[in-house]
Amino acid sequence: MRQIVRSMLSLSFLITPISIGLIGCGSVAEPNRQSQSPAAPAAPATAVTAQSVAEAESKESTTTVAVETPRQQALSSESTSSELAETPVEAAAPAKPKRRPIYDETADAKELIAKAIRRAQRDDKQVIIEWGGNWCGWCYLLHDCFTKVPEVAKIVNEEYELVLVDSNSNEKLMKEYTGDHSVQGFPHLTIVDQEGKVLTNQDTEPLEQGRGHDPALVTAFLSKWAVPKVDAEQLLSSKLELAKSSDKRVLFRVADPYCGWCKVLSQFVQDHESLLAKDFVDVKIDTLRMSDGVKVSEAHRPPNANGHPWFIIMGPAGEVLATSVSDKGNIGYPGATEEIAHFMKMLRDTRKSLTDEDLASLEVDLNDFRIRREKKLAEQSSN
């Protein structure tokens, strides 16, 4: 059994050249404000946020050892200098490149976990904490499994917020999360729900197979602790009932886990929850993660609502009062001036309790994001 390693060890000592048949995982480009609806992606992307884990890295290269040829072995001590000169000499093998660190040893781990919980609340996920360190070869192997093996990466991306926490610099915090559980080695996994409650701790040695981790065992573990699948029809029905009983409208949004602008819109709704809740009951339909998600989405999709996200404002009886489709098409996330104007008109035309000051506050925040993004894009294009 692997023992707990607490001292800093050489990465080259812990990681040996292996080949486990993993595929690469490409980086994700910045999404458009509306993304094309996915159709069961074959290779999931990594999360599109500032708190995302590091991009998957290239596999370690093996080292070639020079071996003497029979001709070289046959050379006698009387060989002339000319004969020696003719003998081919193999070049020295290149040094094995070091892996890029995947753990930030100086990060505020409490803040990392708090932000992950906040994102989990936003997207209805669980949080998985991967305790370990850059000195831990098995931590790199599990991270490769999480990010490069398609069936594992799919469930990690769709159902979890992944946080990597350095165990050496956060021993006290790790003890708070592991409690009476005896950590047998690293990496060690802790599953936390949206309220910050620890659901389970898992030693990863039982998930190993040979010199790696068994994708089937890892997937089974992650599936067991994922948020139960939501029925989209039941969710919408309950939200309509709530809107009727509270004399509010329904903000009906359609999204999927691989849509970057869906996350930006969800973040805006979460950040302004108290204001929007004055008039709206929010419901997000996930077309990939929910039962009948596609069916419910298509039943309410307005004409020309292409890509994700799109949204409508409903009355309590399900009647459509406003849509995200402008005269130029679906606005997606309202990130441009004309899109913001359309979104604000939707709110203005359907409000009951929101004041002019409330609407002005929402518009200011939308424009602040627009200005910051435009400035960043301008700086990138000038470099």
Side-chain angles (χ1 to χ4, degrees), residues 67-75:
V67 179
E68 286 190 337
T69 65
R71 168 166 156 57
Q72 290 172 313
Q73 294 172 347
L75 288 175

Side-chain angles (χ1 to χ4, degrees), residues 60-71:
E60 297 174 28
S61 60
T62 56
T63 303
T64 302
V65 179
V67 179
E68 286 190 337
T69 65
R71 168 166 156 57

Side-chain angles (χ1 to χ4, degrees), residues 19-24 59 141 144-145 148-149 215:
S19 176
I20 56 177
L22 300 179
I23 68 168
K59 289 188 289 185
L141 292 177
D144 283 344
C145 186
K148 295 180 180 180
V149 179

Side-chain angles (χ1 to χ4, degrees), residues 362-379:
L362 294 172
E363 189 168 8
V364 165
D365 287 349
L366 287 169
N367 276 303
D368 281 348
F369 179 86
R370 174 185 61 79
I371 292 170
R372 283 186 280 111
R373 179 173 178 272
E374 289 174 351
K375 181 179 179 181
K376 182 178 179 180
L377 290 175
E379 291 174 348

Side-chain angles (χ1 to χ4, degrees), residues 9 26 31 34 54 64 70 78 82 86 98 104 170 176 187 190 201 207 223 253 271 317 321 358 365 367:
L9 298 178
Q34 62 179 49
T64 302
E78 291 82 20
S82 61
E86 294 173 357
K98 292 184 178 180
D104 185 347
N170 293 282
E176 292 177 13
T190 302
N201 277 280
L207 306 179
S223 298
R253 300 183 285 128
D271 291 343
L321 304 178
D358 292 333
D365 287 349
N367 276 303

Side-chain angles (χ1 to χ4, degrees), residues 6 44 72 110 116 145 174 215 264 308 365 373:
R6 298 224 180 255
Q72 290 172 313
K110 286 187 176 181
C145 186
M174 183 174 66
V264 177
H308 289 170
D365 287 349
R373 179 173 178 272

Side-chain angles (χ1 to χ4, degrees), residues 39-280:
T46 55
V48 187
T49 64
Q51 297 80 21
S52 299
V53 296
E55 293 180 358
E57 299 154 307
S58 59
K59 289 188 289 185
E60 297 174 28
S61 60
T62 56
T63 303
T64 302
V65 179
V67 179
E68 286 190 337
T69 65
R71 168 166 156 57
Q72 290 172 313
Q73 294 172 347
L75 288 175
S76 66
S77 59
E78 291 82 20
S79 298
T80 64
S81 59
S82 61
E83 288 176 314
L84 290 173
E86 294 173 357
T87 303
V89 179
E90 297 189 19
K96 183 176 67 176
K98 292 184 178 180
R99 295 287 303 264
R100 188 173 66 179
I102 56 176
Y103 288 83
D104 185 347
E105 299 167 0
T106 63
D108 184 332
K110 286 187 176 181
E111 184 179 2
L112 289 179
I113 296 172
K115 288 181 176 179
I117 291 173
R118 182 72 170 157
R119 296 194 303 273
Q121 294 169 348
R122 180 193 72 191
D123 296 327
D124 193 27
K125 297 181 178 182
Q126 311 284 39
V127 174
I128 182 166
I129 306 173
E130 184 182 345
W131 308 93
N134 296 317
W135 42 265
C136 167
W138 283 92
C139 297
Y140 278 88
L141 292 177
L142 183 59
H143 192 63
D144 283 344
C145 186
F146 279 167
T147 59
K148 295 180 180 180
V149 179
E151 62 268 34
V152 179
K154 182 178 188 297
I155 191 169
V156 170
N157 281 307
E158 294 181 9
E159 302 295 340
Y160 289 92
E161 287 295 327
L162 176 62
V163 186
L164 276 66
V165 177
D166 179 71
S167 57
N168 278 351
S169 53
N170 293 282
E171 291 189 23
K172 183 178 179 181
L173 181 64
M174 183 174 66
K175 184 62 179 176
E176 292 177 13
Y177 279 91
T178 57
D180 295 332
H181 180 88
S182 178
V183 178
Q184 299 298 314
F186 294 104
H188 180 81
L189 302 178
T190 302
I191 305 294
V192 179
D193 69 11
Q194 297 169 23
E195 303 305 318
K197 177 184 176 182
V198 174
L199 299 179
T200 191
N201 277 280
Q202 175 68 43
D203 294 313
T204 54
E205 186 174 6
L207 306 179
E208 295 171 8
Q209 182 183 59
R211 289 292 299 165
H213 297 84
D214 186 336
L217 294 176
V218 175
T219 299
F221 167 72
L222 295 175
S223 298
K224 177 181 178 180
W225 294 102
V227 173
K229 188 176 287 290
V230 174
D231 184 286
E233 289 186 327
Q234 293 180 7
L235 176 64
L236 177 58
S237 178
S238 66
K239 295 294 186 178
L240 287 171
E241 284 295 323
L242 178 58
K244 184 177 181 180
S245 64
S246 57
D247 192 28
K248 293 181 180 180
R249 316 297 196 186
V250 172
L251 176 58
F252 176 96
R253 300 183 285 128
V254 174
D256 69 79
Y258 300 97
C259 165
W261 285 106
C262 297
K263 290 181 172 64
V264 177
L265 180 59
S266 292
Q267 189 64 57
F268 175 82
V269 172
Q270 183 183 55
D271 291 343
H272 300 86
E273 181 180 5
S274 59
L275 275 184
L276 293 172
K278 288 185 176 182
D279 278 331
F280 303 103

